[in-house]
Amino acid sequence: MDNNKYKKCRVERLLNIDGFYTFSKQKFVKDYFFRGESHNFIEVVCVLEGRVGVTAGKNVYMLSGGQMTFHAPDEFHAIWAGEDSEPESVIFTFSASAFPKMRRPVYQLSVQMLSEIKELYQTAEKIFVFDGYTVVSVKPGMETASAAFVKRMEYFLLTVIADSDNDAPDAQRYCSENYTRVMSVMERNIDKALSVTELAELCGVSVPTLEKTVYKYLRCGAMTYYNVLRMKKASDMLSAGKSVKETAFSLGFANQNYFSASFKKHYGYPPSKLKDRTFFEKKVGKETSKDSTHK
């Protein structure tokens, strides 16, 4: 056989899951609210029944049973039970060396897809050792099963993303114009040290309206969230090799020492520690495992 006449058809690995952080099936009580967080891995929220509200970056969505959304790494997000609803959801987080671009914010699952995600959760319980919702390790003797589980999960997610008929347009109608405007203004002015009055003026709303809008969807004050964005930007800059001084001045801090104190207050360690990759990796691993649980 002349092997030279055959040409390999390369298939791109659009999705490659490295490991799971959390996996849970949760029923939220009425008026449940989990305040905003961000982490450096992917989160998937699949609503089995009831209605769930979520923030995703600058937008707000209300998901119904059979709908699913993805939160990209470092995307600030919150979740809550819809009005007069006690929803049930499957929520899991994972890292991936490859992940396809999301074509829409919310996906509609078919009956078969909904059944599959329920079975995937049941299978995960058999394969992994859990500490609460956190995936600790693979159970002894389940190594092959865990590898098969990853492939099955990748197939499920790719099927959902590739399905051209599973758009969920109704979920987008819950968007808050005020919230979107506030988030956009904060992101555009992340390099400035604005006061709450200045933020409100740029958003075209009063200070009480600004505070009410942010608290409604994130359960925190406007300046608290603005500081979260600024500290996240600082962390990204430092991790990319920027000096503490350069980062401080780029974000509008007139005093390097004040920036360092603010950073340490937010993260619990000084900005200089991000130069220590061993410390950084241990710290991030600890925080992501802890913060990814919806309590």
Side-chain angles (χ1 to χ4, degrees):
M1 180 181 294
D2 183 8
N3 292 326
N4 292 326
K5 71 177 182 178
Y6 293 98
K7 293 184 178 180
K8 182 189 296 183
C9 174
R10 294 187 178 278
V11 178
E12 184 179 357
R13 288 296 304 274
L14 294 178
L15 175 56
N16 188 24
I17 295 177
D18 299 322
F20 293 91
Y21 289 98
T22 63
F23 214 121
S24 65
K25 183 179 180 182
Q26 304 179 47
K27 188 172 182 64
F28 299 150
V29 298
K30 185 179 178 180
D31 298 326
Y32 167 89
F33 196 107
F34 182 83
R35 63 185 300 175
E37 67 168 4
S38 63
H39 38 62
N40 64 349
F41 43 81
I42 301 163
E43 178 169 321
V44 175
V45 177
C46 179
V47 182
L48 303 181
E49 58 182 46
R51 289 171 64 77
V52 169
V54 299
T55 60
K58 295 182 289 186
N59 299 309
V60 182
Y61 302 99
M62 183 61 69
L63 281 61
S64 300
Q67 293 180 340
M68 187 172 81
T69 190
F70 295 83
H71 293 302
D74 300 318
E75 179 181 78
F76 198 84
H77 56 280
I79 185 170
W80 62 91
E83 187 176 355
D84 297 324
S85 178
E86 295 185 354
E88 185 173 33
S89 302
V90 170
I91 302 173
F92 55 98
T93 59
F94 60 93
S95 61
S97 58
F99 196 78
K101 182 179 180 180
M102 295 294 96
R103 295 162 51 194
R104 53 181 68 93
V106 179
Y107 291 81
Q108 184 69 49
L109 304 185
S110 65
V111 174
Q112 291 78 8
M113 291 174 179
L114 203 56
S115 176
E116 175 68 357
I117 192 61
K118 293 177 182 178
E119 290 186 17
L120 281 166
Y121 169 71
Q122 294 173 349
T123 302
E125 286 189 308
K126 299 175 183 178
I127 293 175
F128 300 108
V129 176
F130 286 84
D131 179 7
Y133 297 142
T134 302
V135 180
V136 177
S137 62
V138 176
K139 291 181 179 179
M142 301 297 287
E143 291 79 10
T144 301
S146 67
F149 176 82
V150 169
K151 295 299 181 184
R152 183 177 172 187
M153 176 60 76
E154 290 176 346
Y155 177 77
F156 167 75
L157 293 176
L158 287 172
T159 300
V160 171
I161 296 169
D163 188 346
S164 60
D165 297 323
N166 66 1
D167 196 7
D170 290 344
Q172 299 185 46
R173 296 177 184 172
Y174 194 75
C175 289
S176 163
E177 292 183 6
N178 274 350
Y179 178 82
T180 300
R181 187 185 309 118
V182 169
M183 296 299 107
S184 296
V185 167
M186 287 186 177
E187 289 181 3
R188 287 198 303 267
N189 293 276
I190 202 169
D191 59 341
K192 303 179 181 68
L194 299 178
S195 67
V196 67
T197 301
E198 291 170 327
L199 278 173
E201 290 177 352
L202 289 172
C203 294
V205 299
S206 65
V207 171
T209 298
L210 172 65
E211 293 288 8
K212 182 178 180 181
T213 299
V214 175
Y215 185 80
K216 179 178 181 180
Y217 297 111
L218 299 179
R219 288 298 192 272
C220 67
M223 293 305 294
T224 297
Y225 179 69
Y226 183 51
N227 185 59
V228 167
L229 290 180
R230 284 162 55 75
M231 290 299 103
K232 175 61 177 62
K233 180 65 174 180
S235 179
D236 290 343
M237 293 178 68
L238 291 164
S239 299
K242 301 294 184 182
S243 68
V244 174
K245 181 178 180 179
E246 183 179 4
T247 301
F249 292 159
S250 295
L251 293 176
F253 286 86
N255 185 295
Q256 180 180 332
N257 292 332
Y258 178 65
F259 164 72
S260 296
S262 299
F263 189 95
K264 184 176 181 179
K265 181 179 180 181
H266 182 76
Y267 283 109
Y269 52 89
S272 57
K273 277 290 187 180
L274 285 184
K275 302 299 181 183
D276 181 349
R277 297 308 301 173
T278 301
F279 169 85
F280 176 72
E281 291 168 0
K282 289 181 179 178
K283 188 71 178 177
V284 169
K286 185 185 298 183
E287 289 179 346
T288 53
S289 176
K290 173 186 66 176
D291 294 343
S292 57
T293 302
H294 293 159
K295 297 180 180 177

